Amino acid sequence: MAKPIITLNGLKIVIMLGMLVIILAGIRFAADIIVPFILALFIAVILNPLVQRLVRLRVPRVLAISLLITVIILAMVLLVAYLGTSLNELARTLPQYRSSLVVPLQHIEPWLQRAGIEVSVEELLKYIDPNAAMTLVTALLSQLSSAMTSIFLLLLTVVFMLIEVPQLPIKLQQVMSRPVEGMVAIQRALDSVSRYLVLKTAISIVTGLVAWAMLAALDVRFAFVWGLLAFALNYIPNIGSVLAAIPPIAQVLVFSGLYDALIVLTGYLVINLVFGNILEPRMMGRGLGLSTLVVFLSLIFWGWLLGPVGMLLSVPLTIIVKIALEQTAGGQSIAVLLSDVSQR
């Protein structure tokens, strides 16, 4: 009698895996539509506590939302204008990189030859094409203006989401079979994600400002661009801060030499140590309930599924999936595998 049961269970697992593959393929195929919606949703989660605080101060909800969105739009216009200027300057500077690379490569060439690595500086320089880099920067500049339309639609979606927040719990309770347990799970997910996003945004802003100030104090060109990059990539767990440090260190190494590059490297190490290893864990509390391996794997998975936005939001998306799995009998074992046992 056990054999048909095993066969039925196996068939059920195969069907569920097949459905999962179809769902993931559909999400990836429709990423152009889903990604802006997810990004708008998380922006709304970040802004909702500020809206609620203004409402408590007896500011009408619509007016509070309008004020926040207006401030964001003004900040983004100034940011894009300054970034466009910096990218224009970067595009004019790029041809200097090829000539500046000759001397460092000539110094490195004897060391590589002693290690048994045959390298020709002339051959390496053939692969360094500043025109390709200039084309890339020019494309970025042209996309900044076209991106403003998408950003406007994104912020408009955020506005409607924030307006809908007071009616959302009533609607969700009406469609749930177990409204009490469901609302508790949703509130828990919102609290976890909101706390993570608000704290991560605050830490990322401070990290970007400190990186900008450090590079400006060291008279590194395009310090604002690298500070903005440090802010954006700080959302990516584990590797984001490392990726943000590579371009400015490479720039200083090429133009200013090894000694200045080591100073910049030391500055980034101090920033990552203070903010990434000391300040952030203390502000986050006991943690997010996810193991370190799961955080890294989620970075790869969500990046594959949703692109760069998926990498930026990999941790909150995984938190939501984990909490959702905890609400089902079949998903509780998977939720345990995702969790950090040391924090249980």
Side-chain angles (χ1 to χ4, degrees):
M1 295 295 294
K3 189 173 181 180
I5 296 176
I6 295 175
T7 304
L8 184 61
N9 289 336
L11 181 61
K12 183 179 178 180
I13 292 174
V14 171
I15 293 175
M16 291 178 63
L17 290 176
M19 293 174 61
L20 180 62
V21 170
I22 293 173
I23 292 171
L24 293 178
I27 291 174
R28 191 175 185 189
F29 179 76
D32 292 339
I33 300 174
I34 295 175
V35 167
F37 176 78
I38 293 177
L39 188 57
L41 180 61
F42 282 110
I43 293 175
V45 169
I46 295 175
L47 295 180
N48 190 54
L50 297 176
V51 174
Q52 290 179 339
R53 182 165 296 183
L54 291 174
V55 170
R56 293 193 198 101
L57 297 175
R58 297 185 179 180
V59 178
R61 187 174 186 86
V62 175
L63 179 59
I65 295 172
S66 302
L67 289 174
L68 286 176
I69 297 299
T70 301
V71 171
I72 292 174
I73 291 175
L74 291 175
M76 291 188 66
V77 168
L78 294 175
L79 184 66
V80 169
Y82 195 92
L83 182 60
T85 304
S86 299
L87 288 177
N88 270 321
E89 185 181 355
L90 178 60
R92 292 193 299 268
T93 309
L94 281 174
Q96 302 176 14
Y97 277 84
R98 194 173 187 275
S99 57
S100 300
L101 280 172
V102 175
V103 176
L105 287 176
Q106 288 177 343
H107 287 300
I108 296 174
E109 184 180 7
W111 294 356
L112 295 176
Q113 290 178 350
R114 289 172 195 160
I117 303 174
E118 294 296 331
V119 177
S120 173
V121 174
E122 289 76 13
E123 292 296 326
L124 286 176
L125 289 176
K126 292 180 181 178
Y127 293 99
I128 301 173
D129 186 8
N131 293 326
M134 289 184 66
T135 303
L136 176 62
V137 173
T138 304
L140 288 175
L141 287 172
S142 62
Q143 288 177 1
L144 280 177
S145 57
S146 61
M148 293 304 294
T149 304
S150 301
I151 292 173
F152 175 76
L153 294 176
L154 180 69
L155 292 177
L156 194 61
T157 306
V158 172
V159 169
F160 286 113
M161 285 182 175
L162 291 173
I163 293 175
E164 190 72 14
V165 167
Q167 292 80 28
L168 193 59
I170 301 174
K171 294 181 179 180
L172 291 175
Q173 288 177 357
Q174 292 177 353
V175 300
M176 290 180 179
S177 57
R178 296 184 300 171
V180 177
E181 294 84 350
M183 290 305 299
V184 170
I186 291 175
Q187 189 61 47
R188 182 185 165 200
L190 285 175
D191 291 342
S192 300
V193 172
S194 177
R195 185 171 185 274
Y196 171 81
L197 288 175
V198 170
L199 291 177
K200 192 69 174 177
T201 300
I203 294 172
S204 297
I205 291 174
V206 176
T207 301
L209 290 175
V210 172
W212 179 19
M214 177 198 71
L215 295 173
L218 295 173
D219 200 22
V220 177
R221 300 185 69 179
F222 317 116
F224 174 77
V225 176
W226 308 137
L228 185 63
L229 186 67
F231 159 74
L233 294 185
N234 195 61
Y235 282 94
I236 301 178
N238 299 327
I239 64 172
S241 56
V242 177
L243 295 176
I246 293 175
I249 293 175
Q251 173 190 313
V252 174
L253 179 63
V254 170
F255 283 102
S256 303
L258 180 61
Y259 178 73
D260 291 337
L262 290 176
I263 295 177
V264 174
L265 174 61
T266 303
Y268 270 97
L269 289 175
V270 172
I271 292 173
N272 294 332
L273 177 64
V274 172
F275 292 102
N277 298 329
I278 298 176
L279 182 63
E280 185 171 330
R282 288 187 178 181
M283 292 182 66
M284 293 292 182
R286 295 187 56 184
L288 302 165
L290 300 175
S291 68
T292 305
L293 176 62
V294 169
V295 171
F296 181 72
L297 293 178
S298 68
L299 174 67
I300 299 174
F301 172 76
W302 292 111
W304 165 80
L305 189 64
L306 300 175
V309 174
M311 298 177 70
L312 295 174
L313 301 176
S314 59
V315 171
L317 287 170
T318 307
I319 293 173
I320 293 173
V321 171
K322 176 177 174 290
I323 293 176
L325 289 171
E326 290 175 347
Q327 307 310 309
T328 61
Q332 288 179 355
S333 57
I334 302 177
V336 172
L337 294 176
L338 297 177
S339 63
D340 187 359
V341 180
S342 63
Q343 297 180 7
R344 294 179 67 86

